[in-house]
Amino acid sequence: MKKRVFSGIQPTGDLHIGNYLGAIQHWVKIQHEYDCIYCVVDLHAITIPQDPKTLKAKIREVAGLLIASGIDPQIASVFVQSHVHEHSELTWILNCYIPMGWMRRMTQFKEKSQKQREEVSTALFDYPALMAADILLYNTDEVPVGEDQKQHVELARDVAQRFNSIYGETFTVPRAVIAKTGARIMGLDDPTQKMSKSEEQPGRAINLLDSPDDIRNKIMRATTDSLREMRFDESRPGINNLLVIYEQFTRQAREEIEARFEGKGYVDLKRELAEVVVESLSPVQSRYRELTADPQHIDILLAEGAKKVRPTAEKTLALVKERVGLG
Ligand code: TYM
């Protein structure tokens, strides 16, 4: 039996190379070895205000980009969270077993809620419970994510263990799988901030659908330091981030990369990196255009994906209800 992998991605903003390097490239790599389920988490998206038309389009765009990046929907399952209503139902039940104290420790909520203050939705606070439901519905062994999701996966582990200790073996206890490098790609404009889907800072992220010129401009303008030495060094976040992106796309060894740029200037690194990124994203972009030429194609694939995963979700939820004594 293959081990089960589950991971998710939000259909908000534009997918960027942080998502790609921290998550999607790993999802592609492991799909033959594991039994993989990848979910476009639209219910998570609405924890902050969304325009309905844009959201619907983004769901298809994200699914299309996952497939264009190399996820084969015949091998892995790709589906939309709200198509399988068990996610919402299990969230409610899990809520009853998650102490407020655990949730209050979630750092992402603290960051995200700062902007909205009192307007922040109850659901944004509850976001990790929905994420736990996503993971636990499918007897997930491993959750490949970027570093920022580690704490959420740990909460899913904790609630699985808690539930199992009260009711007996019910959930598989999942674990986060985080790559040693590339799990936290930083913003190009500000390398002290994580690369994120931010519309306010257009120079922050390289989006998977950016044009070659946009990619070049963003990289050429990336913030670095005034030193000259080209070394992987976390205490120099700007240059380190560019080198990590280069390493991730070229798969060269660090010594090789450092030797290649020794004695050269930052502009040389930036120029070469820009071409590497343009060339790496070009096949993804052309596959995306092919895939989306027929707008119904993605919808059909997503309906098939939901159909494949639904029986597992139904079975887990039925067991949970039985254990709790519902109905
Ligand atoms: P989301 O949509 O913010 O991001 C999707 C994936 O991309 C990773 N990522 C990054 N990796 C490296 N560097 C970055 N700058 C960077 N930015 C994002 C994220 O860590 C993530 O792996 N809550 C999740 C979605 C989710 C989920 C789940 C994940 C919902 N249910 C169940 C795993 C399992 C999120 O908002 O990801």
Side-chain angles (χ1 to χ4, degrees), residues 1-12:
M1 275 263 285
K2 284 181 179 174
K3 278 193 176 169
R4 169 65 47 80
V5 158
F6 182 98
S7 204
I9 188 156
Q10 287 203 70
T12 48

Side-chain angles (χ1 to χ4, degrees), residues 99-286:
M100 285 285 278
W102 292 5
M103 292 290 232
R104 279 205 199 97
R105 284 200 284 273
M106 297 293 117
T107 54
Q108 201 165 72
F109 173 75
K110 288 182 200 161
E111 288 159 19
K112 283 195 183 177
S113 59
Q114 255 165 17
K115 278 191 217 147
Q116 291 181 291
R117 294 172 182 268
E118 284 303 299
E119 284 304 305
V120 72
S121 70
T122 313
L124 190 70
F125 185 69
D126 203 35
Y127 183 113
L130 176 57
M131 195 165 148
D134 297 341
I135 297 167
L136 299 183
L137 270 178
Y138 300 100
N139 313 314
T140 303
D141 298 291
E142 296 188 3
V143 188
V145 281
E147 215 170 82
D148 61 345
Q149 296 302 318
K150 186 168 181 233
Q151 199 184 28
H152 292 160
V153 180
E154 274 161 12
L155 186 125
R157 265 181 88 81
D158 290 344
V159 67
Q161 277 165 342
R162 185 163 212 241
F163 194 96
N164 288 350
S165 73
I166 301 171
Y167 296 106
E169 210 51 34
T170 309
F171 295 122
T172 303
V173 179
R175 72 179 186 96
V177 178
I178 297 166
K180 284 198 190 73
T181 78
R184 190 172 175 82
I185 300 294
M186 308 308 286
L188 294 180
D189 61 337
D190 179 357
T192 63
Q193 302 294 316
K194 161 184 96 168
M195 185 176 282
S196 60
K197 302 163 182 155
S198 166
E199 276 135 39
E200 293 125 58
Q201 282 103 358
R204 174 138 311 170
I206 294 174
N207 301 322
L208 297 190
L209 292 174
D210 273 352
S211 70
D213 280 346
D214 280 346
I215 296 172
R216 291 188 186 105
N217 285 335
K218 287 178 186 177
I219 292 180
M220 294 314 289
R221 277 198 224 124
T223 305
T224 47
D225 51 39
S226 53
L227 302 173
R228 295 197 57 84
E229 222 193 350
M230 218 84 80
R231 291 248 170 275
F232 284 88
D233 176 354
E234 290 193 3
S235 68
R236 294 168 56 201
I239 195 68
N240 191 66
N241 192 39
L242 296 182
L243 288 170
V244 167
I245 297 171
Y246 189 93
E247 174 193 34
Q248 287 293 313
F249 278 115
T250 63
R251 297 271 138 217
Q252 287 173 23
R254 292 195 163 190
E255 308 79 68
E256 218 178 307
I257 299 171
E258 287 175 345
R260 182 183 189 89
F261 291 107
E262 202 181 325
K264 294 196 181 159
Y266 288 169
V267 172
D268 301 306
L269 168 66
K270 285 178 169 180
R271 278 210 191 102
E272 205 174 309
L273 176 63
E275 293 321 304
V276 163
V277 177
V278 167
E279 271 169 41
S280 307
L281 295 186
S282 153
V284 175
Q285 296 182 349
S286 38

